[in-house]
Amino acid sequence: MRALGLAPRARTLAYALVFWAEVSMGAPLLERWRTGDGVGGSGGGSRSGGGGGEYLRFVRWLEEWVGVGNVPDEAEVGEAMRRVDAMRRGRSLSQSRR
């Protein structure tokens, strides 16, 4: 999409952030090892260019693509998280709020 000059909707980006958080934040020991803070590490910063892990790198990449104002805020990502949870539990969002 980016190469074609297309920008996704904010809801689509919110879902992407939810799913990326699941795979990028799920391994804190691996992140510590990767940044050199773990056992046998040499100290020093993240190789990701400024720290913050893979999730923050993805957010920055999105900001460069769609602009800072078009990246979903915490409320939009939270709503996407609720929708994903409801889908996984096999019920609609309106049923999950009861």
Side-chain angles (χ1 to χ4, degrees), residues 8-78:
R9 296 182 319 174
R11 181 181 277 186
T12 303
L13 294 176
Y15 283 122
L17 288 167
V18 168
F19 292 122
W20 188 248
E22 289 180 355
V23 299
S24 68
M25 294 179 162
L29 290 176
L30 180 61
E31 184 69 18
R32 282 182 38 208
W33 173 80
R34 194 178 69 69
T35 61
D37 295 331
V39 175
S42 60
S46 170
R47 291 184 219 149
S48 62
E54 295 299 319
Y55 184 84
L56 187 55
R57 286 183 64 203
F58 183 52
V59 170
R60 288 180 182 150
W61 184 84
L62 288 175
E63 289 173 349
E64 290 174 9
W65 176 20
V66 299
V68 174
N70 295 317
V71 174
D73 60 18
E74 290 180 24
E76 292 170 304
V77 174

